Amino acid sequence: MKYNYYILTGITDYYKQIFSDLSHRDDVVIVNSTHELLGNLYIPWRIQTGRDFNKYVRIPFKNIWNKTYLKKTNLFKDKTKPICFVLSSIWANFALEQGFIETIRKEYPSAKVVWLIADIISKQKPLYPKEYNKNIFPDMDEAKKIFDLIISYDHGDCKKYGLVYHALPFSSFSEPDDQLPNSDVFFLGRAKDRLNDIITIFEYLRSKNLKLDFYITGVSEDEKIYADEIHYNTSMSYQDNLRRVLNTKCILEVMQKGASGYTLRANEAVCLGRKLLTNNQMIEKLPFFDEKYISTFSIEEGNLNVDEDFIDHISDVICVDFQKKSMFSPIKFLKFIEERL
C-alpha cells in the first residue's frame, strides 16, 4: 500500500476487534488506548486531560501530550512511506479540541489524516465543554477543512454533512465458548432512547416461546421490567459479546433514534453467519441484504409489524452464508481510504 497506517482507536474492546485482522501487518500500527503509549505517565496525563478533573478546574497545556501520542510511528518497517493517521473516538476530540492534528502536520508534513466516525454525529460531545468556544460540536465545516477525509457509517450523516460513507470494518472471530447458553435470539445494547422498543420486541419474541438472551445497560432501577429474564446493567467485553453471538441463531438490532446506518450487530450477523432481525428498514437496500437471513420490523405507536414467517422459523438450524462479507474487511477499508486520498 502507498501509506503506513497509524490507527488510533477508542479504548473499547470492539475497536480492538474490528481492526484485529491488520495486527500482523508491518505497515499498520494500531493504538487502542493512551495507556499503552504513556506507561508510568498515565496518571499525570489522566489528571491533566481527564473530563472529571477539568469539569471543576480548567487545566491548561493539554497539548503538551500530543507528541507522545505519536511515539509508535517508529514501528513501521518501511519508514520512507508517508503516514496516514486514522483517528476515531477520543482521538478526534484531541484533534478538534487540543491541537493534535496540528502536531501531526508539524511532525509529518506529508501525512494524511482521516476521521472515522463510529457513532452518529448528534451523539458526539466535546471533552471539555467549558473550554470549547463554539456553539456546536463538532463543527463539521471546520472539521472538513482540517481532515483530509471524514468517513461515517451513517447514510443520514453523510448526506447531511457531505461525508464519505463506508461500513464499519470487521475482523474475523472464532473463539466459541461451549459453557455459554445457546439462544434463539441475542440482544446486547444500551437502552439510550430505545428501551420501549427493545421491551416491545422482547415481549413479542417471548410470546413465541423463543429462547432469549438479552443484555441491556443504562437502565434505572424503576425501568427494569422482566428483571428475572433480562440481564440489566451487566458489563461484558466485546469478545464475550461475540462468543454469545456464536451461540445464538439470530441477532437482534434495535436502532437508536435518528440513526440511519446500521450498528455492529449487522457486521456480526454477516461476518459470523447469523440471522438478523432489525428495525433498520434501509438495510434492504444494502449489498449484503438477503431476505433468507435478514428480516425487518417496525414499531409505530406501540404497534409491532413483523414478518411472522421469519419469526416462526428463527430457531431453525440452517447454514447462514452471506456472499458479501468481504465488504467489511479492514484491509479493503484501508484500500478504500487510499483511493480517496
Side-chain angles (χ1 to χ4, degrees):
M1 290 191 286
K2 178 181 177 181
Y3 297 97
N4 287 321
Y5 284 90
Y6 197 73
I7 303 175
L8 295 147
T9 73
I11 61 173
T12 53
D13 290 337
Y14 84 83
Y15 278 108
K16 297 178 185 178
Q17 171 58 32
I18 64 177
F19 289 113
S20 63
D21 281 350
L22 300 172
S23 60
H24 67 285
R25 298 182 63 96
D26 58 22
D27 56 355
V28 175
V29 171
I30 302 172
V31 178
N32 292 307
S33 73
T34 51
H35 199 288
E36 66 186 81
L37 294 172
L38 297 162
N40 294 333
L41 295 174
Y42 179 77
I43 292 178
W45 171 86
R46 190 78 176 85
I47 293 172
Q48 184 171 20
T49 65
R51 254 187 194 150
D52 295 338
F53 293 100
N54 282 273
K55 188 185 299 183
Y56 304 104
V57 180
R58 181 175 176 177
I59 304 176
F61 308 118
K62 298 180 183 68
N63 60 357
I64 64 171
W65 299 99
N66 287 349
K67 284 189 179 180
T68 309
Y69 305 149
L70 305 175
K71 66 183 294 184
K72 286 195 172 184
T73 52
N74 63 357
L75 297 179
F76 292 117
K77 183 177 181 180
D78 182 356
K79 295 179 174 57
T80 64
K81 294 199 295 187
I83 301 175
C84 177
F85 293 84
V86 180
L87 312 184
S88 195
S89 187
I90 193 174
W91 301 101
N93 287 86
F94 291 165
L96 293 168
E97 297 182 67
Q98 58 188 55
F100 180 40
I101 202 164
E102 285 81 1
T103 302
I104 292 175
R105 301 289 190 199
K106 182 178 179 180
E107 297 297 315
Y108 300 96
S110 62
K112 300 293 184 181
V113 188
V114 177
W115 181 9
L116 171 61
I117 306 177
D119 201 350
I120 56 177
I121 289 175
S122 64
K123 300 296 183 181
Q124 306 289 320
K125 305 292 182 185
L127 287 175
Y128 316 110
K130 292 183 178 179
E131 299 179 34
Y132 192 70
N133 59 3
K134 294 183 179 295
N135 294 326
I136 57 173
F137 182 90
D139 183 331
M140 294 308 297
D141 289 333
E142 176 191 15
K144 286 193 285 186
K145 292 176 183 176
I146 65 174
F147 286 95
D148 296 293
L149 183 65
I150 302 178
I151 298 173
S152 170
Y153 80 102
D154 188 86
H155 285 283
D157 279 349
C158 289
K159 184 177 180 180
K160 182 176 181 179
Y161 298 103
L163 311 180
V164 175
Y165 170 81
H166 194 282
L168 290 175
F170 194 85
S171 293
S172 57
F173 183 84
S174 56
E175 300 176 16
D177 185 345
D178 295 335
Q179 301 302 312
L180 293 175
N182 293 314
S183 65
D184 294 318
V185 182
F186 170 65
F187 175 82
L188 170 69
R190 290 186 60 81
K192 296 184 178 179
D193 54 7
R194 53 189 170 169
L195 181 59
N196 289 340
D197 288 349
I198 296 170
I199 295 300
T200 296
I201 189 66
F202 170 84
E203 290 178 330
Y204 171 76
L205 296 171
R206 181 176 180 266
S207 73
K208 293 291 187 176
N209 296 315
L210 293 169
K211 190 172 183 180
L212 308 179
D213 194 15
F214 272 52
Y215 291 78
I216 312 174
T217 62
V219 182
S220 62
E221 286 297 323
D222 61 327
E223 292 178 310
K224 293 179 180 178
I225 320 174
Y226 303 105
D228 57 337
E229 300 178 50
I230 296 175
H231 305 276
Y232 284 106
N233 302 330
T234 301
S235 61
M236 184 188 306
S237 71
Y238 187 62
Q239 283 67 33
D240 281 342
N241 160 71
L242 294 181
R243 293 183 183 100
R244 283 171 170 78
V245 168
L246 293 177
N247 279 31
T248 195
K249 297 183 179 73
C250 180
I251 303 169
L252 172 65
E253 176 186 56
V254 182
M255 304 292 289
Q256 59 182 309
K257 310 297 183 187
S260 60
Y262 53 87
T263 71
L264 280 169
R265 304 292 88 86
N267 299 52
E268 294 160 4
V270 174
C271 297
L272 301 182
R274 294 299 181 267
K275 300 171 190 174
L276 179 68
L277 178 63
T278 176
N279 64 342
N280 179 11
Q281 309 300 320
M282 284 192 64
I283 206 166
E284 297 177 357
K285 300 177 182 179
L286 297 177
F288 61 79
F289 179 77
D290 189 324
E291 63 181 4
K292 297 193 300 294
Y293 311 134
I294 299 177
S295 181
T296 60
F297 68 93
S298 63
I299 301 174
E300 300 173 4
E301 299 181 354
N303 296 316
L304 175 65
N305 301 300
V306 65
D307 182 343
E308 295 275 357
D309 186 63
F310 184 87
I311 301 301
D312 289 341
H313 293 89
I314 212 167
S315 60
D316 293 353
V317 178
I318 63 171
C319 178
V320 178
D321 185 15
F322 290 91
Q323 300 300 311
K324 297 287 186 178
K325 67 177 68 175
S326 65
M327 67 178 283
F328 296 107
S329 162
I331 295 175
K332 285 193 173 183
F333 175 68
L334 297 186
K335 291 179 179 178
F336 175 88
I337 289 175
E338 290 212 347
E339 291 170 357
R340 282 151 184 82
L341 290 177

